[in-house]
Amino acid sequence: MNILVTGGAGYIGSHTCISLLEAGYSVIVADNLCNSKIETLKRVMKITNKEIIFYKIDVTNEHDVEELFEKHSIDGIIHFAGLKAVGESQKIPLIYYYNNIVSTIILAKVCEKYGVKRFVFSSSATVYGENQVPFFENMNLMPTTNPYGESKVISERILTDVAKEIPGFSVAILRYFNPVGAHESGLIGEVPNGNPNNLMPYITQVAVGKLDKLRIFGDDYSTFDGTGIRDYIHVMDLAEGHVAALRYLKEGVQVYNLGTGKGTSVIELVRAFEEANNIKIPYEIVSRRHGDIAACYADVTKASRELGWRANRSIRSMCEDSWRFELNNK
Ligand code: NAD
Ligand code: UD1
């Protein structure tokens, strides 16, 4: 089966390519490399000893996407391509809305034209906004306070409407919690552009000496130690979740949380990293980051029941694997 992976050279996409290839799928990647490097795909091929067909195209370009569909018989799409930095999305909202929404529209249009019925979409736990934890798939979505989050909500709605109209169209909307870690080989992982915004890459860059200390955004939340709680999920567990979703797809739209169901505080993650890798992470407490919520973790029963998938890797292996990748790639 030929799977088109948009954004396949990126962090989650590249790890998912490994799981797809190992599960026996043929993989075609479409990526404009705006936040990734071709070297990552070479490493994926090295790890799996399998080939990937690559197109350097922008998936908002309908002509280029159609050309790809003319050349290959595509059986399904996993649509990762998107811009993902929350702060940046507030500075350049039009670019975020255009890239993240138009790409979804173009791909859905091309699916309709070429009769492709399987579509897996990368959404985010950010769509739950300030709902009460744990987050369930059937909760009402809340405003997300930023264009990145809104682009995910809008893309979800578009796909839901399209699925009502195209007979046989099957969509899985996957809401990721906090992906961290790297492939166990240490060859591929997350490469932030500039100073990292997210916690784990920040910790690894402090550990390696690129940054002097971690700034913990607030210790006055109503959580057990006052720092923010998140549901960190190993990127390889997340990758395997995509294969499970692809296999299960059925007509209409299904929404799944991909998380572990367990919350970890910022301080707990710092301690786990220190313990796993025997490195001290200096930190200071600073004020809260605008837009952050106290706690965000998933209810994962639906994915477990319907997809037969669950995240198995521990916080310790997330810390070990993130660190191995940082060391290999500093
Ligand atoms: P990433 O930036 O590492 O990967 C995205 C890839 O898409 C990059 O390789 C980039 O070059 C490519 N891309 C962007 N716009 C494109 C376009 N118009 N045409 C072709 N290629 C394009 O990000 P990631 O962390 O792997 O995230 C993948 C998806 O998952 C994104 O849609 C993101 O919003 C979503 N997501 C990520 C997280 C996270 O914490 N990383 C959490 C929730 C959801
Ligand atoms: C952030 C985004 C979210 C996006 C996700 C993945 C915001 C407000 N939210 O989620 O929309 O889907 O990344 O890209 O940007 N922290 C620190 N110091 C740091 C970095 C983070 O204390 O230097 C804390 C945060 O306050 C939070 C936790 O660590 O409590 C996790 O932060 P982060 O990794 O940025 O993820 P989210 O905020 O959950």
Side-chain angles (χ1 to χ4, degrees):
M1 214 184 250
N2 288 335
I3 305 301
L4 173 64
V5 182
T6 75
Y11 174 45
I12 306 171
S14 59
H15 290 80
T16 302
C17 285
I18 295 182
S19 296
L20 287 167
L21 290 166
E22 285 176 348
Y25 292 95
S26 299
V27 172
I28 298 161
V29 166
D31 197 308
N32 64 3
L33 304 180
C34 69
N35 196 35
S36 53
K37 296 205 164 66
I38 190 68
E39 172 63 22
T40 303
L41 290 180
K42 292 186 183 151
R43 293 184 183 192
V44 169
M45 291 190 269
K46 184 175 169 192
I47 291 166
T48 56
N49 205 19
K50 298 202 166 138
E51 285 300 312
I52 289 175
I53 298 172
F54 174 66
Y55 287 90
K56 184 171 183 288
I57 58 169
D58 189 314
V59 294
T60 61
N61 184 322
E62 191 167 356
H63 173 263
D64 288 355
V65 176
E66 283 204 8
E67 222 171 56
L68 189 156
F69 276 70
E70 289 289 340
K71 286 195 193 126
H72 300 275
S73 156
I74 302 291
D75 300 294
I77 298 187
I78 308 185
H79 178 32
F80 291 104
L83 300 174
K84 64 166 180 178
V86 171
E88 187 181 64
S89 80
Q90 284 157 328
K91 293 192 188 110
I92 45 170
L94 276 177
I95 290 179
Y96 268 68
Y97 279 122
Y98 188 87
N99 195 66
N100 292 1
I101 296 171
V102 172
S103 59
T104 307
I105 293 174
I106 300 289
L107 290 164
K109 266 180 89 176
V110 175
C111 278
E112 184 173 29
K113 181 164 176 186
Y114 290 85
V116 177
K117 303 290 189 193
R118 300 180 183 85
F119 198 109
V120 176
F121 177 66
S122 296
S123 188
S124 165
T126 197
V127 301
Y128 290 111
E130 295 195 33
N131 270 294
Q132 276 299 314
V133 282
F135 296 153
F136 291 88
E137 288 87 346
N138 59 4
M139 279 175 157
N140 284 332
L141 303 187
M142 294 252 199
T144 62
T145 73
N146 63 77
Y148 165 73
E150 291 307 295
S151 75
K152 292 295 177 192
V153 174
I154 296 166
S155 292
E156 285 199 9
R157 292 212 180 104
I158 291 169
L159 290 170
T160 305
D161 288 339
V162 171
K164 283 186 203 140
E165 294 310 317
I166 306 178
F169 198 47
S170 309
V171 179
I173 290 173
L174 305 181
R175 294 182 181 151
Y176 311 153
F177 282 68
N178 289 58
V180 296
H183 186 259
E184 290 80 356
S185 63
L187 287 176
I188 64 165
E190 186 171 13
V191 188
N193 207 347
N195 265 5
N197 299 309
N198 296 122
L199 181 58
M200 183 63 99
Y202 210 101
I203 291 176
T204 58
Q205 295 206 7
V206 170
V208 84
K210 278 189 207 159
L211 297 167
D212 62 339
K213 63 183 165 208
L214 171 69
R215 272 160 277 272
I216 295 185
F217 298 140
D219 66 350
D220 55 352
Y221 285 104
S222 56
T223 60
F224 77 94
D225 65 10
T227 66
I229 287 184
R230 297 291 183 272
D231 184 341
Y232 298 97
I233 174 170
H234 195 295
V235 66
M236 284 310 299
D237 277 330
L238 190 61
E240 288 157 13
H242 289 76
V243 176
L246 195 59
R247 284 197 179 119
Y248 181 80
L249 276 176
K250 57 179 188 183
E251 184 162 355
V253 175
Q254 321 295 325
V255 182
Y256 297 102
N257 286 340
L258 297 188
T260 64
K262 288 185 217 95
T264 302
S265 76
V266 177
I267 288 188
E268 281 182 313
L269 191 70
V270 171
R271 297 278 178 253
F273 187 92
E274 291 181 330
E275 215 169 280
N277 300 313
N278 202 18
I279 299 169
K280 198 93 200 106
I281 303 297
Y283 67 81
E284 66 171 329
I285 307 290
V286 299
S287 48
R288 293 180 179 193
R289 177 172 67 181
H290 180 70
D292 273 359
I293 52 173
C296 169
Y297 55 90
D299 179 279
V300 291
T301 20
K302 190 175 176 209
S304 155
R305 189 181 59 237
E306 295 186 6
L307 305 180
W309 166 90
R310 116 185 334 276
N312 293 316
R313 293 168 178 83
S314 63
I315 289 280
R316 188 183 176 91
S317 58
M318 299 177 208
C319 293
E320 288 170 347
D321 293 339
S322 294
W323 181 228
R324 186 178 310 109
F325 177 70
E326 181 70 45
L327 278 180
N328 279 352
N329 293 279
K330 63 185 174 186

